[in-house]
Amino acid sequence: QQQVKQSPQSLIVQKGGISIINCAYENTAFDYFPWYQQFPGKGPALLIAIRPDVSEKKEGRFTISFNKSAKQFSLHIMDSQPGDSATYFCAASYGNKLVFGAGTILRVKS
Amino acid sequence: DADVTQTPRNRITKTGKRIMLECSQTKGHDRMYWYRQDPGLGLRLIYYSFDVKDINKGEISDGYSVSRQAQAKFSLSLESAIPNQTALYFCATSPGQDNRGNQPQHFGDGTRLSIL
């Protein structure tokens, strides 16, 4: 049973477009929601994160939107670039332990 | 030099063999983790350790064991490998919560394990 459900599985976006990846969770004990970015042959790296007392967090071109009542959160990548092509994982944490979504493979076409 | 180093990077072995994957870190973090990554399933937690004397099972610990030899070293063992343990394995470290309120985990580059 996937505790964190992520969609879509894959995404193709034109350069300059907006990439949107969605996640949903069930366990209300989760208290920290990070997004990780993974390039081929590398381990995941923390991209941006949010806590449930905040509805939105922006860092550069990356924004997390968080809806606590719906138990959903999403990653928006503005002005998507070919260098953003990677696999993106949402995650949820309690007690400093992460539960990951299944991942989204993003391809940005130039 | 990488902060989190995993060895070996690739391993092919046969069913029934004992395998040890090693992880060492220079970040000085107390918390260490082992995950496996499978296509379509994301990363799943196998074991974690919050200090040298602390070992905890994760979501999928059956068939695996770990050893925390020092703050900097955390090894994962497959006592008798089976084909469905073929996966990409990652070690990670964490300082707990940092001064920005984040709980970052820093991953190694993984070990690709194939069991025939």
Side-chain angles (χ1 to χ4, degrees), chain B residues 32-101:
Chain B
M32 297 187 74
Y33 308 79
W34 275 104
Y35 294 90
R36 67 176 279 175
Q37 182 177 1
D38 298 277
L41 294 178
L43 289 89
R44 292 178 291 166
L45 183 62
I46 305 172
Y47 271 94
Y48 62 101
S49 169
F50 283 179
D51 66 39
V52 174
K53 296 183 179 180
D54 176 70
I55 300 289
N56 303 283
K57 293 182 178 181
E59 179 186 354
I60 54 163
S61 59
D62 287 349
Y64 302 95
S65 63
V66 291
S67 173
R68 184 83 185 263
Q69 301 93 327
Q71 186 206 38
K73 295 184 182 295
F74 192 36
S75 300
L76 175 72
S77 293
L78 290 66
E79 296 300 327
S80 180
I82 56 177
N84 75 2
Q85 292 177 312
T86 292
L88 189 53
Y89 289 84
F90 286 101
C91 172
T93 74
S94 177
Q97 185 164 302
D98 65 15
N99 57 11
R100 294 177 60 191

Side-chain angles (χ1 to χ4, degrees), chain A residues 23-26 66-73:
Chain A
C23 285
Y25 65 97
E26 290 295 325
F66 189 86
N67 185 328
K68 188 174 181 178
S69 61
K71 293 188 283 186
Q72 296 175 346
F73 59 111

Side-chain angles (χ1 to χ4, degrees), chain A residues 2-105:
Chain A
Q2 197 88 27
Q3 292 192 58
V4 178
K5 296 184 178 180
Q6 183 172 346
S7 62
Q9 287 185 317
S10 62
L11 182 61
I12 300 175
V13 174
Q14 291 289 336
K15 179 181 176 181
I18 302 173
S19 304
I20 302 174
I21 305 171
N22 300 298
C23 285
Y25 65 97
E26 290 295 325
N27 189 345
T28 56
F30 290 136
D31 60 3
Y32 173 72
F33 299 87
W35 286 87
Y36 279 78
Q37 180 188 54
Q38 184 182 30
F39 293 106
K42 296 294 186 181
L46 179 64
L47 185 63
I48 187 172
I50 198 167
R51 291 196 175 273
D53 54 347
V54 176
S55 60
E56 185 176 282
K57 184 173 182 180
K58 183 177 181 179
E59 291 185 358
R61 295 185 295 109
F62 301 92
T63 300
I64 300 178
S65 298
F66 189 86
N67 185 328
K68 188 174 181 178
S69 61
K71 293 188 283 186
Q72 296 175 346
F73 59 111
S74 59
L75 175 70
H76 290 65
I77 306 174
M78 311 300 289
D79 188 26
S80 298
Q81 299 297 311
D84 296 330
S85 297
T87 300
Y88 292 81
F89 293 97
C90 63
S93 175
Y94 64 96
N96 208 216
K97 303 184 301 290
L98 289 174
V99 178
F100 284 87
T104 296
I105 301 171

Side-chain angles (χ1 to χ4, degrees), chain B residues 1-47:
Chain B
D1 288 341
D3 295 322
V4 182
T5 301
Q6 293 186 233
T7 56
R9 291 297 314 277
N10 293 280
R11 179 81 185 267
I12 300 173
T13 191
K14 295 181 178 179
T15 299
K17 295 291 187 181
R18 184 179 187 275
I19 310 294
M20 179 180 287
L21 309 183
E22 302 195 8
C23 178
S24 63
Q25 52 121 344
T26 58
K27 299 190 75 68
H29 294 162
D30 286 328
R31 302 179 182 208
M32 297 187 74
Y33 308 79
W34 275 104
Y35 294 90
R36 67 176 279 175
Q37 182 177 1
D38 298 277
L41 294 178
L43 289 89
R44 292 178 291 166
L45 183 62
I46 305 172
Y47 271 94

